[in-house]
Amino acid sequence: MPLLNTPKKLLFSQGNLQIIAFSNLIDVTTLIPIDIDTLVATMIDCNGNPVPGCTNIALPNTDALGDYMGTFGDNNFYPLVGTGYTLLIDGNNGSGGGYIHFEVMVEIVSRQQ
């Protein structure tokens, strides 16, 4: 399903609480907001391995307008600084049978404080 309004790249900072938010996710074919209870996000490295501290992150639906938000990370979240990471987002609408999958590039930046 093609989507409107997905970011091109996310920046995550080592050792900090991270917020993942997607707003106004819309099916480009129907122009209807994506309404799935919860999306799940997992970050992978350039070799396809899950990044510790960012696997199976729940992104609950915050309203019926295609808005989703979840948090992860703490002082133990220290992947290597740089690019080469991808955030995989998946969701399954059990009642409607719909499935969504999209990917967003991630850059890890060093903690400043």
Side-chain angles (χ1 to χ4, degrees):
M1 151 185 336
L3 297 174
L4 291 175
N5 304 327
T6 56
K8 301 296 179 211
K9 181 169 76 172
L10 298 172
L11 295 177
F12 293 153
S13 183
Q14 292 175 323
N16 288 332
L17 179 68
Q18 315 294 319
I19 297 173
I20 303 172
F22 296 107
S23 297
N24 199 26
L25 290 181
I26 296 174
D27 182 327
V28 74
T29 305
T30 64
L31 299 180
I32 296 173
I34 305 300
D35 189 16
I36 294 175
D37 288 339
T38 301
L39 298 176
V40 176
T42 295
M43 189 166 67
I44 59 172
D45 64 18
C46 62
N47 295 316
N49 300 313
V51 175
C54 187
T55 57
N56 298 318
I57 307 302
L59 307 174
N61 188 341
T62 60
D63 56 32
L65 302 174
D67 298 337
Y68 299 85
M69 185 170 65
T71 60
F72 76 96
D74 58 18
N75 290 334
N76 297 318
F77 179 70
Y78 271 92
L80 296 175
V81 169
T83 58
Y85 298 98
T86 304
L87 189 65
L88 308 176
I89 298 96
D90 293 286
N92 188 357
N93 186 358
S95 61
Y99 180 80
I100 183 173
H101 171 86
F102 63 100
E103 302 178 5
V104 179
M105 294 185 329
V106 173
E107 181 177 349
I108 303 296
V109 296
S110 61
R111 183 175 179 164
Q112 299 299 311
Q113 299 231 16

